[in-house]
Amino acid sequence: MKYQIYGIIILLLFYGVYLGKMMQQRQKGIQTDQIAKGNKHGKLLWVELFMKLATYLTVCAESISVIRNIHQLPVCFRWIGMAAAFLGVIVFGVSVYTMKDSWRAGIPENDKTEFVTAGIYGWSRNPAFLGFDLTYIGLLLLFFNQVLMAFSCFAILMLHLQILQEEAYLETLFGTEYIKYKNCVRRYWGKYKS
């Protein structure tokens, strides 16, 4: 029962940050969810569509796994998973807070956003995605089952493909400024040595 409570808290915190930020930005007239919207086509459209599908399916699989308290691993993995999931919530929350009103889900077509390199973005080019991955991996370890593993791996893969697209987009948008940043800060975590 206690693991179910931890799982529910993790889900509420993580998706609460996500939805809360979207509602806050909506009040300011900002459309946060830009996933597969607008005039996108080709690879960009398909990656965003599959990423959206993967994240929705993973939320369903996570919720069912938590409610049914499914787990097939020793208890030590559950504690590691809980720590990873809570860390994911923190990393995601800090990244969304640091981005302020420049945060978007998906590649924006017409929005002008700031190039953010401060705070957690000085240590990760993609901390929001890192937060997703840590939360997915943590919940997978906490409530391990084959269905959740399949959906979590699918979502993590699609998030990675989205990162590659966003990095290409940011390079065209911010040019050499982004390339310099990319040469200093790693994709997921850490800095390159000078």
Side-chain angles (χ1 to χ4, degrees):
M1 182 69 176
K2 69 180 174 184
Y3 296 110
Q4 287 174 297
I5 293 169
Y6 295 138
I8 290 167
I9 290 169
I10 290 164
L11 288 171
L12 289 174
L13 287 173
F14 186 82
Y15 295 107
V17 168
Y18 186 91
L19 295 172
K21 183 67 173 188
M22 286 180 78
M23 288 189 290
Q24 177 195 35
Q25 286 186 311
R26 184 177 296 142
Q27 290 174 344
K28 296 179 177 182
I30 299 169
Q31 182 183 350
T32 307
D33 182 4
Q34 309 241 346
I35 302 171
K37 293 183 178 174
N39 294 321
K40 296 175 183 173
H41 56 279
K43 185 179 176 185
L44 175 60
L45 175 65
W46 287 108
V47 168
E48 287 195 355
L49 278 173
F50 280 110
M51 181 188 65
K52 187 174 247 186
L53 175 65
T55 54
Y56 285 164
L57 290 172
T58 304
V59 172
C60 293
E62 288 168 343
S63 301
I64 291 167
S65 297
V66 169
I67 291 166
R68 295 191 58 213
N69 198 19
I70 302 170
H71 59 93
Q72 300 168 348
L73 294 177
V75 73
C76 64
F77 286 96
R78 295 191 96 176
W79 287 102
I80 293 167
M82 191 167 22
F86 276 115
L87 179 61
V89 170
I90 291 166
V91 168
F92 181 69
V94 169
S95 69
V96 167
Y97 176 79
T98 304
M99 281 291 278
K100 300 192 180 358
D101 285 333
S102 289
W103 183 67
R104 300 290 184 279
I107 295 175
E109 287 186 314
N110 302 313
D111 289 4
K112 179 68 177 156
T113 59
E114 287 183 37
F115 181 41
V116 178
T117 59
I120 196 166
Y121 287 86
W123 289 94
S124 172
R125 294 196 315 258
N126 301 285
F129 289 111
L130 176 62
F132 266 94
D133 289 351
L134 286 169
T135 304
Y136 287 165
I137 291 166
L139 286 168
L140 176 61
L141 292 174
L142 192 53
F143 299 98
F144 185 86
N145 62 81
Q146 286 79 12
V147 172
L148 181 58
M149 182 173 76
F151 286 127
S152 298
C153 289
F154 178 45
I156 289 169
L157 171 66
M158 294 314 301
L159 291 172
H160 181 73
L161 294 176
Q162 180 68 14
I163 285 171
L164 298 178
Q165 292 193 134
E166 287 190 12
E167 288 185 345
Y169 165 76
L170 291 170
E171 198 167 309
T172 60
L173 188 65
F174 295 109
T176 55
E177 186 181 8
Y178 184 75
I179 293 169
K180 286 179 188 174
Y181 172 67
K182 202 168 146 178
N183 291 331
C184 294
V185 179
R186 294 181 185 271
R187 178 173 286 142
Y188 285 102
W189 190 259
K191 293 185 177 195
Y192 292 108
K193 292 182 180 178
S194 304

